Structure formats: C-alpha cells, structure tokens
Amino acid sequence: MNMHVKIMIRTLIVTLVVILGIPLSFVHASKPEPAHVLIIYDSLAKGTSREGNIEALQRLLASFGVKVTETTMDNYKKGTLAKYTSVIAVRNANELTISNTDYIQDFASYEGDYLHIGVQLPSKIQTELNLTIQNANEQFVKLSIGQFSEPTIHVSHMPYIVQAMGSIQYGSISSENNDMDTPYAVRHDGLAYVPYYEKGNLSEIALAYVLKDWLRVTEQGKTYLLFKEVYPFSDLPLLEKMADKLYSAGIPFIVSVRPVFHNTDYPAMQRYLETLKYVQSHNGSILVNTPVVSSTIQEIGPELKAQMELFVDVLADYEIAPLGLGAEMYWTYDQQYSEYGMGSFDSAVLFPNENIRHRSQSDSSKSFSSSVYTIQLDFLEQFEHTGKVIERFPMSTALVYNFFETEAELDQNVQAYIDSWITFDDYKSVPHNVQTQANTISTHNGMFEINGHSVDLNNAYRTVSPEYSYKPEPEKSFETLFSIQNKIFIVLILLTLFAFGIMFIIGYRLYKRKYLNRRR
C-alpha cells in the first residue's frame, strides 16, 4: 500500500473519531475479557475421598486463564445462573438432594454451557447427552487418559456411563474383573459430564482434558521446572551450581524467590541479587513469591502493595526481570491480596493451599493472562505411561520442588530431570508483564525487557565484600572536642605517673641511705 494512501486512511479514522465522538479505546483492539465460570457445589466433602476437589478444580480453571465465582447450592440466589454462560456443578454427596427451589427453577430454564461433575446428573442433561448411567459398587478401577493410566483407584458409589450416543468421549474406566469398560467423561458442544473426580489421583489431571475443550481453549499447554523456597540466607553457591548444571543440560527453569522489604542495601541482599542475576543469565526465570503474612494483621492493603513494588523495583534496578508471581491459590480469592499483593503481575504460578490466612475473602477469583498449574514429579511417578517422552498436559504445568539442601541431592535430581524424558519449556517464551509505578518489566521474543530496554545477561558477577557495618554509627556531637580532651587527660595522667615514679625512686634511695647510716 502506498505511503500516501496509509496517511489518508489514518487521517480519515482520526476525523471520524473526532466527529462521531468515538472513544479512542475502541479504535485499538482491546484485550479480551477472560471467561467467567460459575462453580456451584453441594458440599466440600470434608472427611471423604473427595475432599479437596473444589480447590483442585479452582487451580485447573485458573491455569486456563478463567475467572471463577463460586457458591453453594444452599446459598444460591435467584437469577444467578442467568448471569453466566458457563456453569460447573459439583455434586460430591450421594445422599444430599437439592432443596433450593430458586436454583431448581433457574436451572430448568438455563441454556448456557454446563459441566456436571460427580453424582446425581440432572435428567435434563442426561437426556440432552443421550446417556445411560449406572452406579458402581465399591471396587478398584483403572483410569486411563492420554498416555497415562492408574490401575488401582478405589471408588465407592461412582456413577459410570454405560452408553453415550453422539458424544465425544474422553479416556476410559475399567474394572479389575472386566465387567465395566466405560468412557471417563463425555462432551457434546457445551454440555459435558464427568462422573468421577478426586484430588490426588489421575482424575485430577484427566478433568483438564475435558475442561480444555469445554472452555474452547486452543493454546497448547507448556511444561516448566520450578524451584521455590529460595531466600537471601539460602545456600546461594548451591543455587549457582544448580543454574550451571541445568544450563549445561539445556533445561530452562524458574526460581520463585522470597521478597525482601527491608535492609536491601546490606551485603547479604547484594549477594542475593548477584546470585539471582547469575540464575537469570543461565536460562533461569525469576518469580516473586508472595510473602508470609502474619495472622494478626487485618488491614495490609496499601502497605503490601508498596512493599511488593519496592522489591520488584530493587530487582529491576539490578537488571533482574521478575516475570510473575508465585502464590498459594487462596490469594486469588482475597480482595486485599489480589488487589494489592498481586496487582502488579499479569502472570502467576498458583500452588496448593497450605496455610490459609484470608484478610478479605471473596467468592470470585482474580484471573491472569498466564497461569500455571503445579504438581510434583512423584505425583506423576504413580502413573503408568506409554512411550518414553512425557507429552504436555492440556494446561500449562510446573513441576515444583523446594530448593535443595545438599549438592548430592542436587546432582541426583538434575539427573532425574535429564532421564525423565520431559521436555521443559522456557517461561520467558510466553508474554509476561509486571508493572510498578517506577518500572515496566516484560518479555519480548524470549528476551527480558525493563522499561523497553533489553536486559544484558552477560553482566559480570560482582563479589560483595563481607566487611560491612550493619548498624550505621549515629552522628556524634562535639566528637572532636571530646577526642582532644581525652588525649590531654591521657598525657596528664602519664606525666603524673611519671612524676610519681621519680618521686618513689628518690624516696626509696633517701630511705635506704638513712637506714644504712643508722646501722653504722
């Protein structure tokens, strides 16, 4: 296209914007809003094998970039279903029936996408999916999906699909005595049914295959290697050795580091930063892990935001580019944490909840442009798989390890990564953006950028001197005067002692002479 024609087109667009009063934001392509899914469940199934499956479902949905709102069937409010085009119902309890008439009436007229997990599949969905269902007695079954299978899963009162006409089928469930061989799940357009889902076995991963298609996600999931629990007082030389070994093996990795909010000019902090820069230069990506927050603090919002931005700025000033946030899942369901602690990041790696300390709990989650599901290698090792190479999962996934304590442990695990036949992806190959008031950090074509400038990964390592006064000396008034006085007093004392010594010697001689004269 001729340059003059381009200029004329741009001029015409600007003219139309001015004349018609069109906001400029509409001229540029805006970032699409994340999908918003409603989870409605009957119970958390505490004390049963299904306990924890709601949290695992939340993390799975987050890994697909989905915003989630959740409620229970008892607390459902009339008209809620009409606000959503995608709904997931989780029925964990065999004995519970729905008594909320508002939900029953709204569901009867609901026409959006619907995924049912667990028991008591509504007859409306069973008819539309053209399914025949039976309940299995207590037994052990084999679950297979993709290249993975788990041969001995204990189930009790599990419904299973006898026949599915015209639906897409996912995986298979079979019994030990071969009297059952049924699809794990089925889907047809926006309707899907997953009879069985529990945290801690292969069904935790199997659901992701269904979710990806049900959510109409087309991006390929990636696999990352991540290390957490890294502090300024960690074994930093060992961290450098790990970076060397992984770099030599051609394995990109992520380190989720604990932030430091005070004394950032101390040598210990400088050595920490130098080590992180070394890690970054050896194909490592840096995440900022959320801090440990005291349970006694209620209002932490603005202070938390300032502290998180402070640490990001300290890293950026040192030419270290943090690309995202590492956090327990409950942080995304807390208004203070999500707004103030996570607001600077558009990428996150979400860990299972370990110590929940809400400040302002919310029933809706914060979503991220890039979010990663986390598992551990020993979780995968309990499954059988076909082929040597482990294929990528439907969602982006990170194999997570706490940082090693000994070099022997490091060597053993690095060799396990090499032998695992897992293809690890480079975290910085995906777009990330971190924004503070002072700095903008991003990735572009696999390169780090800070405020639009590429980060030099070849900066020389600087040795930080251990000699440092950790407590700065206060300013002293009249220090010079007192110093002169002290010296004068010292001289006077020495002169006095000298005079006293001379007098002592003279007196001793006089006394000795007098004594000798008497004896004569």
Side-chain angles (χ1 to χ4, degrees):
M1 183 181 293
N2 187 282
M3 180 61 68
H4 295 292
V5 176
K6 290 182 179 180
I7 295 174
M8 291 177 62
I9 292 175
R10 291 174 182 173
T11 304
L12 179 61
I13 292 174
V14 173
T15 303
L16 289 173
V17 167
V18 173
I19 294 175
L20 299 179
I22 303 173
L24 288 174
S25 57
F26 286 97
V27 177
H28 302 285
S30 60
K31 187 177 179 179
E33 289 292 324
H36 195 172
V37 174
L38 173 69
I39 297 178
I40 183 166
Y41 57 92
D42 57 2
S43 72
L44 295 175
K46 292 186 176 180
T48 73
S49 60
R50 297 187 179 98
E51 182 177 357
N53 64 357
I54 299 298
E55 179 198 324
L57 174 60
Q58 291 171 344
R59 292 199 300 125
L60 276 177
L61 290 169
S63 68
F64 291 113
V66 172
K67 180 179 177 62
V68 175
T69 297
E70 61 178 29
T71 186
T72 64
M73 291 182 173
D74 288 340
N75 294 330
Y76 176 85
K77 295 182 180 179
K78 187 173 181 61
T80 301
L81 283 180
K83 301 176 183 178
Y84 298 88
T85 58
S86 300
V87 173
I88 299 176
V90 182
R91 300 299 306 274
N92 284 322
N94 297 300
E95 69 281 0
L96 290 180
T97 58
I98 303 175
S99 58
N100 190 326
T101 56
D102 289 337
Y103 175 75
I104 295 173
Q105 293 173 359
D106 286 354
F107 182 74
S109 59
Y110 178 73
E111 298 294 336
D113 292 348
Y114 179 81
L115 167 61
H116 190 93
I117 300 174
V119 299
Q120 300 190 36
L121 177 68
S123 57
K124 168 186 173 181
I125 304 302
Q126 184 173 344
T127 300
E128 292 188 31
L129 287 175
N130 197 11
L131 300 179
T132 304
I133 298 173
Q134 292 185 9
N135 288 322
N137 296 323
E138 185 172 346
Q139 60 180 308
F140 289 94
V141 299
K142 178 180 180 179
L143 170 59
S144 301
I145 196 162
Q147 67 176 148
F148 297 98
S149 63
E150 187 172 1
T152 53
I153 298 177
H154 181 259
V155 298
S156 178
H157 303 292
M158 181 194 75
Y160 65 95
I161 301 166
V162 177
Q163 188 176 20
M165 303 294 291
S167 297
I168 298 174
Q169 301 182 7
Y170 296 84
S172 66
I173 292 181
S174 58
S175 60
E176 288 182 320
N177 54 13
N178 295 321
D179 63 350
M180 179 176 64
D181 190 1
T182 176
Y184 166 71
V186 294
R187 181 185 63 84
H188 180 70
D189 294 335
L191 300 179
Y193 176 45
V194 179
Y196 172 77
Y197 177 60
E198 290 184 0
K199 179 183 178 181
N201 60 36
L202 185 56
S203 66
E204 182 177 339
I205 302 298
L207 179 59
Y209 289 83
V210 184
L211 282 175
K212 180 178 181 180
D213 293 342
W214 183 73
L215 292 168
R216 299 174 179 85
V217 175
T218 58
E219 292 82 3
Q220 175 67 46
K222 297 182 181 297
T223 305
Y224 304 109
L225 178 62
L226 184 146
F227 302 92
K228 64 187 185 77
E229 302 305 330
V230 175
Y231 303 83
F233 48 81
S234 296
D235 190 339
L236 300 182
L238 186 62
L239 183 58
E240 293 177 13
K241 289 180 181 178
M242 185 188 77
D244 288 334
K245 291 179 181 294
L246 293 175
Y247 184 75
S248 298
I251 300 177
F253 62 100
I254 307 170
V255 177
S256 187
V257 303
R258 290 288 183 176
V260 178
F261 301 140
H262 306 287
N263 302 324
T264 55
D265 58 340
Y266 280 15
M269 182 62 179
Q270 302 301 308
R271 284 189 285 271
Y272 189 42
L273 295 175
E274 285 294 340
T275 301
L276 297 184
K277 184 185 290 187
Y278 188 85
V279 166
Q280 180 177 264
S281 67
H282 283 66
N283 216 14
S285 297
I286 305 298
L287 297 181
V288 177
N289 209 94
T290 54
V292 177
V293 183
S294 172
S295 60
T296 60
I297 301 175
Q298 293 301 322
E299 293 295 331
I300 61 172
E303 181 182 355
L304 177 61
K305 178 179 175 63
Q307 290 178 331
M308 293 296 287
E309 289 196 356
L310 168 67
F311 183 65
V312 170
D313 291 340
V314 168
L315 295 178
D317 292 344
Y318 222 82
E319 293 194 318
I320 299 170
L323 301 183
L325 185 75
E328 292 182 34
M329 184 67 207
Y330 79 91
W331 272 62
T332 65
Y333 285 87
D334 190 288
Q335 291 180 353
Q336 288 196 48
Y337 291 152
S338 61
E339 178 180 355
Y340 298 109
M342 311 177 94
S344 298
F345 306 87
D346 76 343
S347 299
V349 175
L350 300 176
F351 306 117
N353 294 332
E354 294 182 4
N355 190 8
I356 298 177
R357 291 179 174 179
H358 277 294
R359 292 296 173 271
S360 181
Q361 186 173 359
S362 172
D363 59 1
S364 295
S365 69
K366 176 180 175 61
S367 61
F368 295 87
S369 298
S370 170
S371 184
V372 178
Y373 198 76
T374 57
I375 57 177
Q376 295 183 332
L377 186 59
D378 56 1
F379 176 74
L380 288 182
E381 289 175 344
Q382 66 181 328
F383 310 139
E384 299 173 353
H385 64 89
T386 58
K388 287 187 176 181
V389 178
I390 295 181
E391 300 171 357
R392 290 179 174 86
F393 296 104
M395 67 294 190
S396 290
T397 307
L399 297 183
V400 178
Y401 293 83
N402 287 342
F403 180 56
F404 309 114
E405 296 182 358
T406 65
E407 189 169 356
E409 185 183 5
L410 167 63
D411 293 338
Q412 180 182 357
N413 280 275
V414 170
Q415 190 59 46
Y417 307 145
I418 297 173
D419 297 339
S420 66
W421 291 87
I422 300 175
T423 301
F424 292 105
D425 294 290
D426 192 347
Y427 191 67
K428 65 178 177 291
S429 65
V430 176
H432 306 285
N433 187 74
V434 180
Q435 181 73 55
T436 69
Q437 292 186 2
N439 292 286
T440 299
I441 303 165
S442 61
T443 54
H444 181 69
N445 294 329
M447 299 297 293
F448 303 109
E449 290 186 354
I450 299 177
N451 299 324
H453 300 288
S454 297
V455 175
D456 183 6
L457 299 180
N458 297 317
N459 279 349
Y461 182 89
R462 292 188 297 168
T463 301
V464 181
S465 173
E467 298 179 2
Y468 186 83
S469 177
Y470 282 89
K471 292 184 179 180
E473 296 182 4
E475 185 178 349
K476 302 172 183 177
S477 302
F478 306 109
E479 181 178 10
T480 303
L481 177 61
F482 289 148
S483 177
I484 294 174
Q485 287 179 347
N486 289 339
K487 291 177 181 178
I488 293 173
F489 288 146
I490 290 172
V491 171
L492 290 175
I493 291 171
L494 289 175
L495 290 174
T496 303
L497 290 174
F498 181 73
F500 179 78
I502 293 175
M503 293 174 65
F504 178 82
I505 294 172
I506 295 173
Y508 173 76
R509 289 180 177 179
L510 291 173
Y511 179 80
K512 183 178 180 181
R513 187 180 303 167
K514 183 177 180 181
Y515 175 77
L516 292 175
N517 290 334
R518 269 185 194 176
R519 293 199 52 174
R520 290 175 183 174

